[in-house]
Amino acid sequence: MNMPELPLMSMLRERMGWLNQRQNVLSQNVANADTPGYVARDLKPFSDFLAGHMVPLAPVAASPGALPLPPATPAGSVVTPGDAGPDGNSVQLDTERSKVADSETTQSLVTGLYAKYLGMFRIALGR
């Protein structure tokens, strides 16, 4: 069995790559916060990226008495840049900081899932 070809490992790898790209885009936004005319950018949501690369996964309710599932994010939703200031720059540092923090939290989650999944394989192999 090839570990990188497992569906969960592949998805975790794709997510981490997407997060790295997003961090690069967000860092460019922050670096250009004082550049006149610069328009803040962001990547499409990961769900849109995932839809083009992998088999879609749908949440399933565990039982009829379970809490209702949250509504799905519309496939075409894209983060739009904020209002431009007097110099035409649309970077809002508070928004960018929030996005960076969200990306860092998600990176920690993904690495934690990766470590737990590998730990399960170690247990199964008796190591």
Side-chain angles (χ1 to χ4, degrees), residues 54-71:
M54 304 187 105
V55 176
L57 301 174
V60 177
S63 67
L67 295 174
L69 298 172

Side-chain angles (χ1 to χ4, degrees), residues 3 5-13 54 113 117 120:
M3 289 287 289
E5 292 178 10
L6 294 173
L8 180 63
M9 299 302 265
S10 176
M11 188 183 323
L12 291 174
R13 186 178 59 250
M54 304 187 105
L113 285 171
Y117 201 66
M120 289 188 323

Side-chain angles (χ1 to χ4, degrees), residues 34-58:
D34 293 331
T35 304
Y38 183 82
V39 177
R41 300 179 307 143
D42 199 354
L43 296 181
K44 290 182 181 180
F46 183 68
S47 58
D48 291 355
F49 174 81
L50 191 62
H53 288 84
M54 304 187 105
V55 176
L57 301 174

Side-chain angles (χ1 to χ4, degrees), residues 51-116:
H53 288 84
M54 304 187 105
V55 176
L57 301 174
V60 177
S63 67
L67 295 174
L69 298 172
T73 305
S77 66
V78 177
V79 178
T80 56
D83 295 331
D87 63 353
N89 188 308
S90 68
V91 176
Q92 297 175 355
L93 288 177
D94 290 338
T95 303
E96 299 304 313
R97 272 184 278 209
S98 175
K99 291 177 186 179
V100 167
D102 179 56
S103 293
E104 289 174 359
T105 302
T106 306
Q107 283 175 331
S108 295
L109 173 69
V110 170
T111 54
L113 285 171
Y114 186 81
K116 293 289 184 186

